[in-house]
Amino acid sequence: MAVKGQTFQHYTEEFKLKAIEMYINGEGSYNSLSTDLGLRSSTQLKNWVKKFEEGKKLADQRGMLTSGNPFKGQAKTKFQSIEDERDYYKAQVDYLKKQYPNLHGEVKSKKH
């Protein structure tokens, strides 16, 4: 689990493909290759190989809008229609209302 303030190592797609190729060619085990390549864990290499075998992208997927947070990733600036733009901004407002319920005037009073 990530710890506050922890930094993460980012690897290029070329590096990942090289590591996968080395494993597939039998140049070492997950553990030995991970150590040789300076990976923190052999699980990283296992995950890359699994993604490769499943035909999934190896590129870094952080910041994609699939997380449910409309503020992650690059801001969308072009829309197919006015309705799409409206829905986009409505989703942002709804997200903020859930995250900060007291900011939009609906303060729940406490009964003593």
Side-chain angles (χ1 to χ4, degrees):
M1 176 176 245
V3 179
K4 184 176 181 180
Q6 180 178 359
T7 58
F8 295 94
Q9 180 64 44
H10 304 285
Y11 301 98
T12 64
E13 191 169 356
E14 293 80 21
F15 179 85
K16 294 175 185 180
L17 287 171
K18 177 186 169 199
I20 293 167
E21 183 180 330
M22 291 171 72
Y23 176 76
I24 290 174
N25 290 338
E27 295 180 32
S29 66
Y30 287 125
N31 288 332
S32 65
L33 287 173
S34 297
T35 302
D36 293 345
L37 295 171
L39 302 177
R40 290 186 182 177
S41 168
S42 62
T43 304
Q44 275 184 309
L45 181 55
K46 288 178 190 176
N47 290 337
W48 295 344
V49 170
K50 182 179 176 183
K51 280 184 177 183
F52 180 79
E53 290 173 344
E54 292 173 352
K56 294 182 179 177
K57 291 183 180 183
L58 294 173
D60 193 357
Q61 298 294 313
R62 278 170 291 165
M64 301 303 285
L65 292 177
T66 57
S67 67
N69 181 344
F71 297 112
K72 286 201 176 196
Q74 187 175 8
K76 190 168 183 177
T77 56
K78 294 183 181 181
F79 299 93
Q80 296 290 332
S81 67
I82 295 293
E83 290 78 16
D84 289 345
E85 185 174 5
R86 178 202 60 212
D87 293 344
Y88 176 78
Y89 290 118
K90 185 176 182 325
Q92 287 185 339
V93 170
D94 290 343
Y95 174 79
L96 286 173
K97 283 182 178 180
K98 287 179 185 174
Q99 293 298 312
Y100 307 101
N102 295 331
L103 289 181
H104 63 281
E106 295 179 18
V107 179
K108 296 179 181 177
S109 62
K110 293 183 179 180
K111 294 182 181 180
H112 294 322

